[in-house]
Amino acid sequence: MEILINQAILRDGMKDLIEYSDVDVLIAGAGPSGLTAAKYLAEKGFKVLIYERRLSFGGGIGGGGNMIPKIVVQKEALPIVEDFKIRYNQVENGFFTIDPAELIAKLAVGALEAGAKIFLGVNVDDVIVRDNPPRVVGVLWHWTAIQLSGLHVDPLYTHCKALVDATGHDAELIAIASRKNPELGIELSGERSNWSEVSEKLVVEHTGKVAEGLYVTGIAVCAVYGLPRMGPIFGGMLMSGKRLAEMIEEDLRDASKGKRKGKKTS
Ligand code: 48F
């Protein structure tokens, strides 16, 4: 029996790892913005993979507001909440509360059922870059357990057409990409102190492409563009994820149209 268990894990697991070593969209981080982007991209038919460092998804959702188990969203985010079939309670003045456990579960179910793949316990460590023109084409990753061990173990690679930094406050991937690859022309401004009203709008407006092949969504947008943080309101995270999905869809469709044209004329 033990051997059958081993074989089931190794055969099916390796198959998934190989199949998902080259994807359309690779999202680092299974928080609210990453999961939202994953659903809307996967349902358009893109091959979407999320790498999440922890052994669970949801990012900052589980902590609610200072551990009090309610998540707040504003009315502009309700169409997304309804797309995911998440239940909500109207509080006042266009604000709504959601149970954090339900939000985590339903965002993940929405992404998975749309066809996205999520690998847990994977830490994205670095990006892969090509020049002429400078472009991000993938990542290097470790199992989080290896990263935490401090052992010198070389990572593996995953290629993608679009890489999304949904890693949260530190915009980890964009920080690495900008530090190691000045040719990408990325300047990281650093997150500013709280101003919820302004930040909730700006975070959505600034969501998008940071360099060729590299995109940002969620609170990481604040670190990149020097925007204020917003605290425990999550509508902007959901709207940022959805907006990013629309932008990547357009970019990838344009790129594949461009390729087809190139083939015809050559
Ligand atoms: O932090 P997180 O929830 O990011 P988000 O989607 O949402 C932010 C809100 O939760 C909240 C807020 C606004 O209301 O301020 O903080 O922008 O989720 C980020 C996820 O990325 C994972 C991390 O474990 C978390 O689940 N992550 C971070 N770095 C890496 C990573 C990495 N290098 N590789 C893989 N996963």
Side-chain angles (χ1 to χ4, degrees):
M1 174 152 180
E2 286 86 356
I3 301 306
L4 290 177
I5 297 171
N6 265 7
Q7 287 174 348
I9 292 171
L10 291 173
R11 275 209 195 101
D12 259 16
M14 288 303 163
K15 208 171 91 202
D16 274 1
L17 286 174
I18 292 167
E19 186 183 339
Y20 282 89
S21 60
D22 192 358
V23 298
D24 292 323
V25 185
L26 174 51
I27 300 172
S33 63
L35 289 169
T36 305
K39 171 193 163 70
Y40 289 114
L41 282 160
E43 68 188 18
K44 292 286 176 186
F46 294 106
K47 185 175 179 183
V48 179
L49 171 64
I50 302 184
Y51 281 147
E52 167 53 51
R53 159 189 292 166
R54 299 196 289 198
L55 294 179
S56 55
F57 25 64
I61 298 172
N66 201 2
M67 297 304 291
I68 298 164
K70 282 295 167 202
I71 291 298
V72 176
V73 298
Q74 60 278 55
K75 67 173 183 311
E76 291 78 8
L78 271 199
I80 302 175
V81 170
E82 287 172 351
D83 276 353
F84 281 89
K85 300 189 171 50
I86 296 161
R87 294 171 297 176
Y88 53 85
N89 181 35
Q90 174 144 21
V91 193
E92 52 185 296
N93 300 333
F95 288 95
F96 300 81
T97 55
I98 296 173
D99 176 79
E102 175 161 345
L103 182 59
I104 293 171
K106 290 200 172 158
L107 288 178
V109 166
L112 291 165
E113 285 190 346
K117 191 81 177 169
I118 304 176
F119 287 157
L120 299 173
V122 175
N123 190 77
V124 181
D125 292 339
D126 202 347
V127 296
I128 305 173
V129 175
R130 296 285 184 267
D131 56 8
N132 267 336
R135 177 179 181 82
V136 174
V137 296
V139 300
L140 277 73
W141 60 271
H142 272 118
W143 300 112
T144 307
I146 292 181
Q147 189 227 358
L148 291 174
S149 76
L151 292 172
H152 181 146
V153 178
D154 273 328
L156 280 174
Y157 316 101
T158 301
H159 270 192
C160 57
K161 298 188 177 90
L163 172 63
V164 178
D165 187 328
T167 62
H169 286 276
D170 295 330
E172 281 188 28
L173 292 193
I174 291 172
I176 292 167
S178 125
R179 193 177 70 242
K180 291 194 174 187
N181 308 281
E183 72 277 19
L184 290 171
I186 305 167
E187 271 181 42
L188 211 65
S189 303
E191 182 187 284
R192 296 171 66 93
S193 294
N194 202 88
W195 188 356
S196 308
E197 199 176 343
V198 166
S199 180
E200 279 291 279
K201 287 196 186 95
L202 291 182
V203 83
V204 181
E205 282 171 25
H206 285 73
T207 291
K209 193 194 279 184
V210 173
E212 285 306 316
L214 180 60
Y215 297 80
V216 65
T217 184
I219 190 76
V221 173
C222 297
V224 176
Y225 295 105
L227 308 179
R229 64 185 297 185
M230 72 289 290
I233 174 157
F234 282 73
M237 300 296 102
L238 307 181
M239 291 187 279
S240 168
K242 184 169 186 200
R243 179 168 157 86
L244 185 76
E246 290 159 0
M247 295 170 105
I248 291 180
E249 183 191 355
E250 202 172 304
D251 285 359
L252 294 189
R253 299 247 186 264
D254 285 352
S256 70
K257 263 189 225 154
K259 262 192 196 157
R260 277 203 301 276
K261 259 193 202 158
K263 266 189 194 153
K264 271 184 199 159
T265 49
S266 62

